[in-house]
Structure formats: structure tokens, C-alpha cells
Amino acid sequence: MRVLVFGAGGAQGGAVARRLVDEGHAVRGLSRTGAAPEGVEPFRADLGDAGRVAAAFAEVTHASVMLPLEFEPDRVAAYVRHVVDAATRAGVRRLVFCTGNRLPVAETGVAAFETRRAAARAVLGSPVPAVVLCPPLYLENLAAPWVREGLAAEGVLRYPMPADVPVAWLSHADLAAATLAALTGDGLEGTALDLGGEPVTGPELASAFGARYEEADVDAFEAGLAAAAGPRTAAGVASTYRWIAARGRDLYAAPSGGAKRLGIAVTSPAAWASALPRASR
């Protein structure tokens, strides 16, 4: 395969790109900055530039697509249109689109969910053979400095999720394994697959770190994220946590058959935590 990986300069896309290189595939990594992991051909492009997106697909046979943390509907729709048009013209054999989150069954009015729902529909409705992957929360979120500080200083794991809400978690490495399987597996075209392991509550999650759990204030979480990612991105991400607490407490508790369908094993929070350097726990 010659695979175009979107977001190769980031955490999730980088993990996918590295896994594909390790498996011996030729990988071109698209990012806004041109950053890409070792062994990946870097390609600098903005998804708003249809010409650059089309150029990125030259001689590509497969694609792994994830969108940046942009939630303005018209802009996201344009990004997806540019990707689908370019992939169609290039004759891509399979495109795997990662929504970056699970998608609630009913519409929510939350742009972070609904822009990805519209994107998934557009991809699956296109002429390109496609698979959609819907991950839950990423375990790597728990390696953020504001989480690590509480663990190290107080033995407290703080996260903006009610303690009694069951949450499935997924590592970036597992996302990479799922993407590889979705790119190469038979009979997967046209499917949307939820990913994630066995859901755990906040206290069960904290126990994997030898800690106790506290629900973090979403406003404080948003303010901290705004400092790193900007206020628009932070507001979009925080809106998903507010919706889950108020109306979507079962979003990450729903049964996930995606991993089984793809034939991959999902890393448990306990196993992931045990692999961390001691200073990070």
C-alpha cells in the first residue's frame, strides 16, 4: 500500500503513520506544518486548499483521514469535500475516516459531534470504498500535564467526566492497529465501527493508577485547554463533556463490537498505566 495519512504531525495521526511504516508500507504524511514521523514522506497542506489536497493523493492507494479540531460546519464540510473529491479522482482503494469521537445516536446540536456525523455520512456516501472508525476517549488524555500533576502531588486523577459514568478508553497505538485493520480487512467497506475497551467508571479508572478520582470542573478544563489550543477549539471540545454529563451518559458505555470485528485487542487502562514511567503515574 501507499498510504496518505492525514494529521501525521499530531498524536493520533503520527501513531497511525508509524504503525504503517513499521508494517512496511509507503506512507505520505499530510500536516499543516509539514511535520511527520521518521520514515514518513512529509507533505505540507491545509485542508482548505483543494489543489494541495489533490496533490497529496498523487499515486496514493489508501488513505487514513482525521480532521483537525475545527468545528465550524461550513469549513469542515469543505475539508471533507476536498478529501472525497481528491480520493475519488485518485482511485483510492480504501479510505478510513476516524471521527475522533463516538457519535450519539440522535442529533445533539453540538458542533463537535454533528460536523463529524456529517463528515462520516459524506465519506460513506461517496464513490470511495470507505470505513468509519468512532473512537471513545483516548488514554493519552490522561498523560496531560494537568492530569499528571494531580496524580503526582495528591494521588488524585481529575478528569471532566462524572465519576459514575462508564467510559470506554482507547490508546493511540490501538487506534493505529484499528486503522491498519480497517485499511486491509475484507468486507468492511461501508461500515461504521465503534472502538474502545471495557467501560470503566471514574473510580475504576483511578484505581489503575493507584489513585482516587475527582470530577474536574469543565469550565476550568476549558480555560486550561484554551491556553494551549485556543478558545474556539477549547469551547468545541468542552461542549462534548457538558453534553455527555447532561444528556449522553451512555455514549461511551454502549457495547463496542468494532475491535472484535477488526480482530484487534484493546489495551486496558490498567495495562496502559503500568507501562508508563513511574514519574508519569
Side-chain angles (χ1 to χ4, degrees), residues 10-58:
Q12 294 92 45
V16 171
R18 286 189 294 272
R19 178 61 186 268
L20 289 167
V21 168
D22 289 345
E23 294 291 329
H25 301 292
V27 180
R28 178 178 294 153
L30 183 151
S31 67
R32 284 177 173 171
T33 64
E38 184 177 353
V40 174
E41 176 195 348
F43 193 96
R44 185 172 183 172
D46 188 296
L47 296 188
D49 185 335
R52 285 296 288 169
V53 174
F57 274 92

Side-chain angles (χ1 to χ4, degrees), residues 19 169-171 173-175 177-178 181 196-197 258-260 262-268:
R19 178 61 186 268
W169 294 85
L170 189 79
S171 72
D174 292 340
L175 173 66
K260 183 176 181 180
L262 293 169
I264 66 165
V266 176
T267 306
S268 70

